[in-house]
Amino acid sequence: MGKKVSPVKDFIAGGVGGVCLVFTGQPLDTIKVRLQTMPKPKPGQAPLYKGTIDCATITIKKEGIKGLYKGMAAPLAGVSPMFAVCFLGFGIGKKLQQKHPTDDLTYPQLFKAGMLSGVFTTAIMAPGERIKCLLQIQADSHRKLYDGPLDCAKKLYKEGGIRSVYRGTGATLLRDVPASGMYFMTYEWLQHTLTPAGHDRTDLSVGRTLFAGGMAGIFNWAVALPQDVLKSRYQTAPHGKYPNGIRDVFKQLMKEEGFLSLYRGAAPVFLRAFPANAACFFGYELTMKFLYWLSPGV
């Protein structure tokens, strides 16, 4: 028999996990976005960045270490409620499929519960991602378009209303719904697999919890990366460049850069995914233990 599902506890613990994730993963996320959105070099011209290390080196040289944390205020302000809502959605998804409060769910059921969490988070994720990406590609500090997240949001709203702020919502859904399903299913599977016979999953060592969380992040991005490239391109493009949304982005990428362009930024994504999501689930599990200690029956 499993532990009683508590969406409220999932909500609180997910918020803590989200904060842990942002602090751990922001530098590599900045590199990922800059690699994904750099312009195609002209014939005979070198690319803006040769790869992950080159991008990091150039960023630090031009902007200092702070450059790797550019745009962090937006995800930090949004990620705690976003991950809280993400884990809440997963908790509700599990609860909806249980006939009894302590039923264990099958892996397909856990995947469906994870997909619901992806739907839940999009309303928060889409504008936060758009603002974050725009701030991250502002490499030239002498010609800044935005002074920070709030200034960026105001200018986007002035440019095209709420639709401009939420540009890329469809792409975010396309990325997060299947990826969230994979994320939570992988984590639950590894938690179950790594739990020694005769023990409860709450007895798992810190190392095993970190491993399960890190691998969940890897599997999440294995599913999400192509859609994420399309989303980043679309959200950072000038207004009107892609009238048909990510379909136009996809056509242009296939025509000009080929299939492998959908995996641009893969190195920093996977380098970031393991430690960031390990930290997220560690923060989540630690908070859940504390909350169940405070109120075991709720």
Side-chain angles (χ1 to χ4, degrees), residues 203-265:
D203 299 328
L204 271 185
S205 67
V206 171
R208 292 187 180 198
T209 297
L210 290 171
F211 178 76
M215 289 307 298
I218 295 288
F219 277 84
N220 171 84
W221 279 104
V223 173
L225 190 55
Q227 303 96 297
D228 186 64
V229 172
L230 297 175
K231 180 196 71 65
S232 293
R233 286 290 184 103
Y234 180 60
Q235 287 186 317
T236 57
H239 180 67
K241 183 175 181 180
Y242 300 114
N244 296 312
I246 61 168
R247 285 177 295 172
D248 285 351
V249 183
F250 179 76
K251 287 177 185 176
Q252 184 188 44
L253 279 177
M254 291 302 98
K255 184 180 178 182
E256 296 182 0
E257 301 177 48
F259 180 76
L260 288 178
S261 65
L262 291 174
Y263 289 88
R264 181 177 286 173

Side-chain angles (χ1 to χ4, degrees), residues 63-117:
E63 306 164 59
I65 290 291
K66 288 196 297 185
L68 293 173
Y69 287 88
K70 191 162 280 185
M72 191 174 78
L76 196 57
V79 86
S80 185
M82 188 272 292
F83 265 81
V85 169
C86 175
F87 279 85
L88 171 68
F90 181 57
I92 291 172
K94 288 188 291 183
K95 209 169 182 66
L96 287 172
Q97 297 179 89
Q98 286 180 320
K99 292 181 180 178
H100 301 287
T102 55
D103 280 353
D104 286 320
L105 297 179
T106 64
Y107 293 121
Q109 286 176 316
L110 290 166
F111 185 84
K112 285 188 281 185
M115 287 175 71
L116 182 64
S117 81

Side-chain angles (χ1 to χ4, degrees), residues 1-233:
M1 296 289 280
K3 184 179 284 187
K4 185 179 177 182
V5 173
S6 173
V8 174
K9 289 187 173 77
D10 281 321
F11 179 82
I12 297 167
V16 175
V19 172
C20 296
L21 180 141
V22 172
F23 274 110
T24 308
Q26 182 68 14
L28 283 161
D29 185 71
T30 298
I31 293 167
K32 176 206 76 170
V33 171
R34 289 187 176 184
L35 287 173
Q36 287 177 344
T37 58
M38 68 178 178
K40 184 185 177 184
K42 293 175 183 177
Q45 190 180 58
L48 186 60
Y49 306 115
K50 295 173 186 175
T52 303
I53 294 172
D54 186 52
C55 182
T57 304
I58 291 172
T59 300
I60 293 168
K61 188 176 179 181
K62 285 186 176 180
E63 306 164 59
I65 290 291
K66 288 196 297 185
L68 293 173
Y69 287 88
K70 191 162 280 185
M72 191 174 78
L76 196 57
V79 86
S80 185
M82 188 272 292
F83 265 81
V85 169
C86 175
F87 279 85
L88 171 68
F90 181 57
I92 291 172
K94 288 188 291 183
K95 209 169 182 66
L96 287 172
Q97 297 179 89
Q98 286 180 320
K99 292 181 180 178
H100 301 287
T102 55
D103 280 353
D104 286 320
L105 297 179
T106 64
Y107 293 121
Q109 286 176 316
L110 290 166
F111 185 84
K112 285 188 281 185
M115 287 175 71
L116 182 64
S117 81
V119 175
F120 270 53
T121 56
T122 297
I124 301 171
M125 179 72 94
E129 285 270 305
R130 176 141 154 79
I131 291 165
K132 172 182 70 70
C133 289
L134 286 169
L135 291 172
Q136 284 173 327
I137 64 170
Q138 271 192 162
D140 188 350
S141 60
H142 297 294
R143 291 188 292 133
K144 289 200 301 183
L145 289 173
Y146 311 109
D147 292 326
L150 284 176
D151 182 58
C152 183
K154 286 176 185 175
K155 286 177 179 173
L156 289 176
Y157 186 80
K158 190 176 180 181
E159 174 191 281
I162 198 71
R163 289 186 68 179
S164 178
V165 178
Y166 273 85
R167 184 197 290 180
T169 298
T172 306
L173 268 173
L174 190 64
R175 180 192 70 176
D176 287 351
V177 169
S180 293
M182 181 62 75
Y183 185 58
F184 284 107
M185 183 186 73
T186 301
Y187 181 71
E188 294 289 329
W189 167 63
L190 285 170
Q191 282 270 302
H192 176 76
T193 303
L194 295 171
T195 300
H199 289 265
D200 188 80
R201 59 180 284 175
T202 56
D203 299 328
L204 271 185
S205 67
V206 171
R208 292 187 180 198
T209 297
L210 290 171
F211 178 76
M215 289 307 298
I218 295 288
F219 277 84
N220 171 84
W221 279 104
V223 173
L225 190 55
Q227 303 96 297
D228 186 64
V229 172
L230 297 175
K231 180 196 71 65
S232 293
R233 286 290 184 103

